[in-house]
Amino acid sequence: MKRILGSAGLICALLLPAILSARQAPTLPALKQEAVTEVDSLQRLTQQMVDEIFSFSELGFQEYETSRYVTGILEKNGFQVERGVAGIPTAWVATYGTGKPVIAYITDLDCIPRASQKPGVAYHDPLVEGAPGHGEGHNSGMAVNVTAALVLKKLMAEHHLVGTIKIFPGVAEEILGSKAFYVRAGLFKDVDIVLGTHVAHEFSTTYGVGQGDWTGLVSVQYFFHGRAAHAAFAPWDGRSALDAVSLMNAGWEYRREHLRLQQRSHYVITNGGDQPNVVPSEAAVWYYFRELDYPHIKELYELGNTMAQAATMMTGTTVDHHLVGSAWPPYFNKVVAEVQQKNIEAVGMPTWSEADQTLAKALQKEISAKVEGLKEKVEPLKEPVKSPNGGGSDDVGDISWNVPMVYMFYPANIPNLPGHSWPNAVAMATPIAHKGSTAGAKVQAMTALDFLLQPELVQQAWDYFRNVQTKDVHYETFLAPEDKPAIEMNKEKMEKFAPQLKKFYYDPLRYKTYLEQLGIQYPTVKANP
Ligand SMILES: [Zn+2]
């Protein structure tokens, strides 16, 4: 070959690699710009995913339709999908690319009991009475991550970028049911950076303990066993499991006064017996024990077990308990958050229409919240508070203590809502959610590019993880070796409601949007009284 190269050939041979490498590696800003353009070109798909998953309305561990739909899109687009990971039928991992770094996206997909709601309607109007619904907005997260992943895949292929993209579903987040099992199954062992994302009414990120409004928890069900008897003819022959539940709860309420202010604990009675003339032989109560750190959570969990045991002694019953979920309080990576913040600022808030603002204000008025419409500006980087007060939990916490991770909050919902209920579903299949998800996808794609192209940033994130975050605190799972994912949870509820919900599944081939399919005028608000 060499001999037939003339001088022109030689010049070509010398220049070609340079030309090729110039073609192979556009600058990072140019790639980010390309990512933004590509995300915009996928707006229709993003909207379809938001609407479709909204219409599935599946509770934790029962996200079968949602997982089938999302993995279908990913497989069609060249991602390898492994299903049923960590012993959870609705969990999976989708992978594209090879080599380091390995960047993982994660977001939730389950919904909330009794939160069924027609989208775009600013008052309570369920799609199916009593049915589950997306009263937190988890239907939008996969639209964000999958859009970003498809764009990344295109750019990686086009420009020969080295690295691996993984996508995880936050199965059963509402019952904190999956992530500790993901970690135990080693799903994050080879992952370098985790970019988690969660629906919000603002565009923001944070690091460390953030605003201090997180807790970790153990979620546990206590099953009491007594002895049935005729409640009037022979009550002395019976031993009431319901009495044990009641006494455990009463004991907890008295003790609550003497617990740290940072704790949050709550319970629901999931089985209170069958009918009054039968002494309940079976009864059950479900507790969430929340605190700020591992030792305090463990202490509450053990106190709960003691109280359950004490209640059996008072009532002549027995008890066993099943762990449903557990979560470390999330702790986010400063290096990743700082990189992400710049991208949030570059993307900026979506442009809200008059109709979007009208819906937001009408809903805020309807539920007696502060009426201020939708946010217009992105938030500055939220510095961590000094003394956390505690609040809700998210089982991504377990991941955040194993790999450098952040949560990007994208603006797809309305401010000042109560959470975990129908008002939080109102915007979630409307242009508010569609635009917010597109904005979120841009940041997810841009931040992944930052880490794919700058290995030194991956190193810095790990330095922070090792030398700051986990310098004195080491991850230890709440799971006992015999604990298994609670994959039977919500099965009956979904079996009851799925046939009714199916009639309302979104058909993107026939209707441009879900609002159009449902014949909902956007926005639908109460006439002024
Ligand atoms: Zn959530």
Side-chain angles (χ1 to χ4, degrees):
M1 281 294 284
K2 264 186 192 165
R3 256 196 291 158
I4 59 165
L5 281 177
S7 60
L10 187 64
I11 290 165
C12 267
L14 288 172
L15 282 181
L16 204 59
I19 294 165
L20 267 182
S21 73
R23 250 192 230 150
Q24 280 165 7
T27 62
L28 182 56
L31 277 171
K32 285 187 179 179
Q33 189 47 53
E34 211 180 324
V36 167
T37 310
E38 291 292 336
V39 169
D40 275 330
S41 75
L42 290 181
Q43 276 182 63
R44 168 87 181 119
L45 178 68
T46 309
Q47 168 256 316
Q48 282 178 8
M49 286 191 271
V50 168
D51 289 1
E52 185 96 44
I53 300 172
F54 183 93
S55 76
F56 292 148
S57 295
E58 291 179 304
L59 290 166
F61 285 122
Q62 307 303 321
E63 309 95 334
Y64 287 96
E65 289 293 336
T66 306
S67 285
R68 183 194 49 75
Y69 170 71
V70 175
T71 55
I73 293 172
L74 288 165
E75 265 176 342
K76 210 174 81 193
N77 284 282
F79 283 74
Q80 295 277 338
V81 177
E82 192 190 343
R83 293 182 171 79
V85 296
I88 301 170
T90 54
W92 43 270
V93 189
T95 308
Y96 173 80
T98 48
K100 290 278 190 178
V102 180
I103 314 277
Y105 286 147
I106 189 161
T107 193
D108 307 324
L109 31 75
D110 57 332
C111 74
I112 301 277
R114 293 182 193 276
S116 178
Q117 169 67 24
K118 286 183 186 154
V121 177
Y123 48 86
H124 193 200
D125 189 4
L127 211 48
V128 174
E129 184 70 48
H134 272 288
E136 173 148 338
H138 283 177
N139 61 302
S140 57
M142 273 296 162
V144 172
N145 281 355
V146 172
T147 302
L150 297 186
V151 165
L152 270 183
K153 187 215 151 192
K154 187 163 189 270
L155 297 186
M156 287 166 77
E158 239 171 61
H159 303 296
H160 310 286
L161 307 178
V162 176
T164 307
I165 301 295
K166 283 185 180 234
I167 306 175
F168 292 91
V171 165
E173 189 276 329
E174 298 298 357
I175 49 176
L176 298 307
S178 64
K179 316 311 191 313
F181 293 99
Y182 287 6
V183 169
R184 186 166 81 178
L187 298 184
F188 292 89
K189 275 223 160 80
D190 64 340
V191 174
D192 294 299
I193 301 286
V194 176
L195 301 174
T197 193
H198 197 281
V199 60
H201 59 264
E202 62 179 37
F203 216 173
S204 70
T205 191
T206 185
Y207 64 93
V209 297
Q211 300 306 287
D213 49 3
W214 291 109
T215 51
L217 66 62
V218 171
S219 151
V220 53
Q221 282 187 305
Y222 294 94
F223 296 94
F224 290 91
H225 316 288
R227 198 162 67 218
H230 194 297
F233 279 132
W236 40 83
D237 286 338
R239 295 290 178 270
S240 170
L242 177 61
D243 287 353
V245 165
S246 302
L247 284 165
M248 177 180 179
N249 294 346
W252 193 264
E253 292 306 346
Y254 279 101
R255 188 62 175 266
R256 191 190 290 280
E257 186 187 352
H258 310 290
L259 298 173
R260 281 172 23 112
L261 292 176
Q262 292 87 341
Q263 72 86 31
R264 300 266 203 292
S265 50
H266 11 253
Y267 52 83
V268 293
I269 298 173
T270 50
N271 178 10
D274 298 301
Q275 59 186 52
N277 63 348
V278 180
V279 172
S281 59
E282 297 295 327
V285 60
W286 183 5
Y287 271 78
Y288 277 21
F289 300 116
R290 306 190 202 241
E291 251 284 7
L292 293 185
D293 54 37
Y294 181 87
H296 286 107
I297 297 163
K298 201 134 198 287
E299 217 173 278
L300 277 189
Y301 184 18
E302 278 157 13
L303 182 60
N305 294 346
T306 303
M307 292 224 173
Q309 209 55 51
T312 66
M313 292 164 78
M314 286 186 273
T315 51
T317 57
T318 60
V319 69
D320 45 55
H321 65 265
H322 294 178
L323 180 130
V324 177
S326 68
W328 270 60
Y331 189 105
F332 297 125
N333 191 278
K334 186 178 183 188
V335 176
V336 188
E338 284 172 348
V339 168
Q340 186 171 58
Q341 178 69 26
K342 291 202 185 93
N343 295 326
I344 289 173
E345 284 164 17
V347 170
M349 287 298 275
T351 308
W352 307 122
S353 67
E354 196 59 38
D356 299 334
Q357 291 288 9
T358 303
L359 179 77
K361 287 177 184 163
L363 178 64
Q364 288 164 341
K365 188 169 170 225
E366 172 71 13
I367 61 165
S368 307
K370 193 170 176 201
V371 178
E372 51 185 7
L374 296 160
K375 291 225 173 195
E376 306 272 10
K377 279 196 194 128
V378 305
E379 305 297 307
L381 180 64
K382 297 196 170 177
E383 302 287 334
V385 297
K386 291 261 167 355
S387 359
N389 284 318
S393 313
D394 190 316
D395 57 353
V396 292
D398 284 58
I399 299 171
S400 76
W401 284 95
N402 283 277
V403 191
M405 173 181 175
V406 290
Y407 238 3
M408 185 256 300
F409 296 96
Y410 57 95
N413 212 338
I414 296 168
N416 308 336
L417 306 184
H420 287 183
S421 57
W422 67 266
N424 290 64
V426 167
M428 289 318 303
T430 73
I432 297 173
H434 303 148
K435 287 184 261 190
S437 301
T438 290
K442 289 176 184 172
V443 174
Q444 282 293 72
M446 290 163 84
T447 309
L449 285 170
D450 274 313
F451 286 91
L452 279 175
L453 271 77
Q454 303 172 98
E456 67 276 14
L457 284 183
V458 177
Q459 194 51 50
Q460 286 167 26
W462 275 95
D463 288 346
Y464 178 86
F465 179 83
R466 289 196 183 102
N467 304 328
V468 180
Q469 181 183 348
T470 61
K471 188 167 168 265
D472 302 313
V473 182
H474 298 288
Y475 178 77
E476 217 177 314
T477 185
F478 285 110
L479 303 180
E482 65 274 16
D483 287 330
K484 288 197 184 77
I487 58 174
E488 297 296 315
M489 294 292 288
N490 294 321
K491 202 171 178 178
E492 279 172 33
K493 276 187 202 156
M494 264 342 279
E495 274 168 4
K496 179 177 171 197
F497 288 110
Q500 296 170 71
L501 289 165
K502 263 195 184 114
K503 294 178 204 153
F504 297 100
Y505 282 2
Y506 172 46
D507 181 358
L509 297 176
R510 289 181 60 198
Y511 301 97
K512 204 162 163 277
T513 65
Y514 195 40
L515 287 172
E516 189 187 304
Q517 176 171 333
L518 296 173
I520 291 169
Q521 158 102 33
Y522 181 72
T524 297
V525 302
K526 278 186 181 165
N528 278 334

